[in-house]
C-alpha cells in the first residue's frame, strides 16, 4: 500500500511538468507570477468544491491553526520567491536552485520537525536528480549568477520544503483533499492583491482561458490531490525528491511537443533524473512516521 505513495507523487510531478509547456502557449502579455497566482486561486476553488463534494471539510477534528497558516504562507511564498529569483538570475539557474534545493532542504527539515531519517537511497536519488536537473536545464543556456537571485531561489526551495513538511502533519489528521483545499485557498487569499494592478486582458483570448483552466484544474487541483495522498504514505524527504519528476517531464515535453533541440548533456540529465527516480521508487517502503 505504501509503495503506492511513490507513484502518486510521481504522477503529480508529471502533471506539474506540463506547467512550462502550458505557459509557453499563453497569450502575449501573460506574466508568469500572475499565471501562478491565477493557478493557485482556481486550484484552491476547485479543491474546495471537491472537498465539499466529498464532505471532508467538516470531519469533526480541530484544525491546527499554526501548521495550516505556515503551509498556506509557504505555498504562497514559493510563488513569489521563485519568480523573483528567476527574474534576477534567469530561468536556468533559478529553476535549478529552486527545484534542486527542495529535496536537499526537505531532508533536514523533515528530520528536525518529524524525526524522519533520510535513507541512503534518498541521498543517492537526490544527488542523481540534482545533477541531472542541472545538466538538463543548463544545456545550451547562457548562465548568469546573481547572488540575490540565488538566495531568492533557495528561499523558494525552502518554502516548498516547509509546505511539504507542514502538509504532512495536517494530512495525518484530515483528508488529503481537504488539507490541500484549505492551504491553497488561504495561500490564494495572500496572493490575490497581486491581481489588483495586473493586466488581465489576455484572459479574453480562448488560449488564455484554456491555459489557466489546465493549470488550475489539472496541475493544481488534480496534481496536488494525488500529491497529498502520496505524501500521506511516504516520508517528507522522499516526497520532495520524487518531485524531480517535474523537470524530467518538462524536458521531455520541450523536446517532443515544443520541438526544442536536445543536446548530449540534456539527454544525460534526463537519464540521471530517471535513474534517481527509479532508485527511489523501487525502495521498500517503511512507515512514514518511523522515528530515528
Amino acid at each position: 500500500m505504501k509503495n503506492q505513495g511513490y507513484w502518486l507523487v510521481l504522477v503529480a510531478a508529471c502533471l506539474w511538468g506540463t506547467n512550462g509547456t502550458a505557459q509557453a502557449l499563453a497569450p502575449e502579455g501573460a506574466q508568469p507570477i500572475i499565471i501562478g497566482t491565477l493557478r493557485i486561486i482556481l486550484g484552491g476553488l476547485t479543491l474546495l468544491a471537491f472537498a465539499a463534494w466529498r464532505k471532508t471539510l467538516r470531519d469533526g477534528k480541530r484544525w491546527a491553526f499554526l501548521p495550516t497558516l505556515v503551509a498556506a504562507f509557504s505555498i504562497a511564498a514559493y510563488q513569489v520567491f521563485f519568480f523573483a529569483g528567476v527574474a534576477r538570475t534567469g530561468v536556468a539557474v533559478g529553476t535549478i536552485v529552486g527545484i534542486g534545493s527542495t529535496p536537499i532542504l526537505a531532508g533536514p527539515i523533515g528530520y528536525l520537525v518529524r524525526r524522519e531519517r533520510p535513507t541512503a537511497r534518498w541521498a543517492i536519488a537526490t544527488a542523481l536528480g540534482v545533477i541531472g536537473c542541472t545538466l538538463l536545464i543548463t544545456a545550451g543556456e547562457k548562465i548568469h549568477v546573481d547572488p540575490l537571485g540565488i538566495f531568492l531561489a533557495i528561499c523558494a526551495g525552502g518554502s516548498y520544503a516547509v509546505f511539504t513538511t507542514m502538509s504532512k502533519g495536517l494530512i495525518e489528521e484530515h483528508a488529503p483533499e481537504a488539507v490541500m483545499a484549505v492551504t491553497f485557498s488561504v495561500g490564494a487569499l495572500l496572493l490575490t492583491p497581486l491581481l489588483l494592478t495586473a493586466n488581465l486582458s489576455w484572459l479574453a483570448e480562448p488560449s488564455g482561458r484554456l491555459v489557466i483552466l489546465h493549470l488550475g484544474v489539472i496541475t493544481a487541483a488534480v496534481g496536488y490531490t494525488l500529491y497529498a495522498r502520496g505524501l500521506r504514505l511516504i516520508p517528507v524527504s522522499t516526497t520532495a525528491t520524487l518531485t524531480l519528476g517535474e523537470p524530467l517531464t518538462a524536458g521531455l515535453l520541450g523536446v517532443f511537443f515544443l520541438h526544442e533541440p536536445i543536446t548530449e548533456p540534456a539527454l544525460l540529465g534526463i537519464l540521471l533524473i530517471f535513474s534517481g527516480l527509479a532508485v527511489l521508487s523501487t525502495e521498500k517502503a517503511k512507515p512514514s512516521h518511523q522515528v530515528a
Side-chain angles (χ1 to χ4, degrees):
M1 177 66 176
K2 288 184 174 59
N3 282 329
Q4 183 183 22
Y6 294 110
W7 299 106
L8 288 170
V9 175
L10 272 176
V11 172
C14 289
L15 291 178
W16 299 336
T18 67
N19 287 336
T21 301
Q23 288 189 40
L25 300 175
E28 186 177 352
Q31 295 177 301
I33 193 169
I34 298 303
I35 292 177
T37 299
L38 291 171
R39 173 178 179 254
I40 286 185
I41 292 174
L42 181 57
L45 291 173
T46 306
L47 286 164
L48 275 177
F50 180 61
W53 177 70
R54 293 283 311 268
K55 299 180 179 179
T56 55
L57 286 174
R58 295 184 179 181
D59 54 10
K61 298 180 181 179
R62 179 179 174 273
W63 281 81
F65 175 76
L66 185 58
T68 302
L69 185 61
V70 171
F73 181 82
S74 297
I75 194 63
Y78 170 79
Q79 303 291 325
V80 176
F81 283 133
F82 180 77
F83 287 116
V86 166
R88 291 193 65 92
T89 199
V91 174
V93 175
T95 303
I96 292 167
V97 177
I99 294 178
S101 63
T102 297
I104 295 173
L105 294 172
I109 291 174
Y111 178 74
L112 291 173
V113 176
R114 300 180 50 81
R115 289 295 185 266
E116 294 178 351
R117 183 187 293 276
T119 65
R121 282 188 179 233
W122 167 83
I124 294 171
T126 298
L128 288 172
V130 171
I131 295 170
C133 184
T134 302
L135 290 172
L136 175 62
I137 298 175
T138 59
E141 295 283 346
K142 182 179 179 180
I143 302 302
H144 170 64
V145 177
D146 179 273
L148 179 56
I150 295 293
F151 174 74
L152 291 170
I154 291 175
C155 287
S159 296
Y160 201 84
V162 171
F163 168 74
T164 299
T165 305
M166 293 297 102
S167 296
K168 173 75 171 180
L170 293 170
I171 288 169
E172 291 174 343
E173 299 295 329
H174 306 280
E177 64 270 13
V179 172
M180 293 297 106
V182 171
T183 54
F184 259 66
S185 297
V186 177
L189 288 175
L190 295 173
L191 290 180
T192 298
L194 294 176
L195 300 180
L196 296 178
T197 58
N199 178 14
L200 301 178
S201 60
W202 55 272
L203 282 174
E205 300 183 33
S207 60
R209 294 192 294 271
L210 285 174
V211 165
I212 295 304
L213 280 173
H214 172 76
L215 293 176
V217 177
I218 303 300
T219 73
V222 176
Y224 275 94
T225 296
L226 296 174
Y227 174 77
R229 292 183 178 183
L231 179 59
R232 169 181 271 180
L233 302 174
I234 58 179
V236 168
S237 58
T238 301
T239 303
T241 299
L242 288 170
T243 60
L244 290 174
E246 177 180 354
L248 173 62
T249 303
L252 293 174
L253 285 175
V255 172
F256 292 107
F257 287 93
L258 298 180
H259 305 292
E260 296 176 350
I262 185 167
T263 62
E264 291 183 359
L267 181 60
L268 178 59
I270 289 174
L271 293 175
L272 286 175
I273 297 174
F274 182 81
S275 299
L277 295 177
V279 166
L280 198 58
S281 62
T282 56
E283 180 180 37
K284 184 178 180 180
K286 298 178 181 180
S288 61
H289 60 273
Q290 182 176 355
V291 177

